[in-house]
Amino acid sequence: MSVFLNSRYRSLCPYVPGEQPKDRKYLKLNTNESPFPPGPEVQTALSCAAAADLRLYEDPDNAVLKAALAQHFKELGLSADCFCPTAGSDEALDLCFMAFAEDSIQFPDVSYGFYAVLSELHRLDARVTPVREDFRIDPSDYQRNDRCIVLANPNAPTGLALGETEIRALLSRNPDHVVIIDEAYVDFGGQSALPLIREYENLVVCRTFSKSRSLAGARIGFAAGSPPLIQDLERLRNSRNPYNISTLSQLIGEAALREPEYYTENCRKIIGIREWTLRELRKLGFTAADSLGNFVFARSGQLGGRALALALRERGILVRHFPAERTRDYNRITIGTQAEMERLVETLAQLLEDC
Ligand code: PMP
């Protein structure tokens, strides 16, 4: 750390992303990417993209993406001004924290690690509420109407989700504060809160193209909410990084929204492989919750979480271990292709037999 770093950030603990190895020798089941490539429309859009166009700045209003999102969700009756496209949903979350958390925020202890980092970055008083023993969020813990709330639904790394009735209760019990629902994994079986946007003026939903749309490297996400909330986010976005989505990402984001069937089919496959993986892991003595994400959160009866992650790594497979007290016995394992998960299960069976 240099002597010049602003004192506000001296104690900041940055988010630690999952390992992204430079060589490609690992089976990567550690960062919840899709095992399937982006669809044909995206490939075509990329191959038609003219390098010369990069000379110019892109449209700072992201108008094409906003219109494509409105069209994609047209049955919900959300207009283009209900969407704020962002560079991944991490940027949407950052803007929401900045815009709507006055000086405090609430989120669960077992959840996406970035919430704690953003709280620190924006100097918020964080009420970190323990999830129940079974890792489920207890909605009755979020009824005080005294601060902004952020929940991942389905939650990560557990994969457990709240239903629409519970989300409605949260929204109506906290009428004076924004409730941010992070739906990074909703396409794998969760219930989206997007249809509630027209009813609740305190709801913001954050979404990403990184998981179900196979575009983690393109950095595309968005926040959705009522037009006044979106105007607030746009005000901050334009004060910080008005050209937040590159020309190429705007192009391929729009292309991905043109072929929803391709991604729905991939999600259907991933859900099937997830259920197969859960059954096989349980046969091997693992405890694992009924995940609604593109990952499972599993604990071996025989090996600790860290030991298991290291043993798998030695055998060429990366999974994610979170060393915090409540999660350290577990690993979060991304769902890959059927063949990849068969390799994982065989490797685990061998490993547990040897120990
Ligand atoms: N929310 C959750 C719960 C996540 O796990 C992630 C992925 N790390 C994100 C948001 C952010 O994803 P991205 O910025 O790629 O959209």
Side-chain angles (χ1 to χ4, degrees), residues 15 87-90 93 112 115 152 156 182 184-185 208 210-211 219-220 332:
Y15 178 69
S89 54
D90 279 343
L93 290 165
Y112 182 31
Y115 304 152
D182 174 357
Y185 300 106
T208 181
S210 298
K211 317 294 177 181
R219 312 304 303 131
I220 309 168
R332 190 195 66 192

Side-chain angles (χ1 to χ4, degrees), residues 95 120 140:
L95 291 172
E120 243 186 283
S140 69

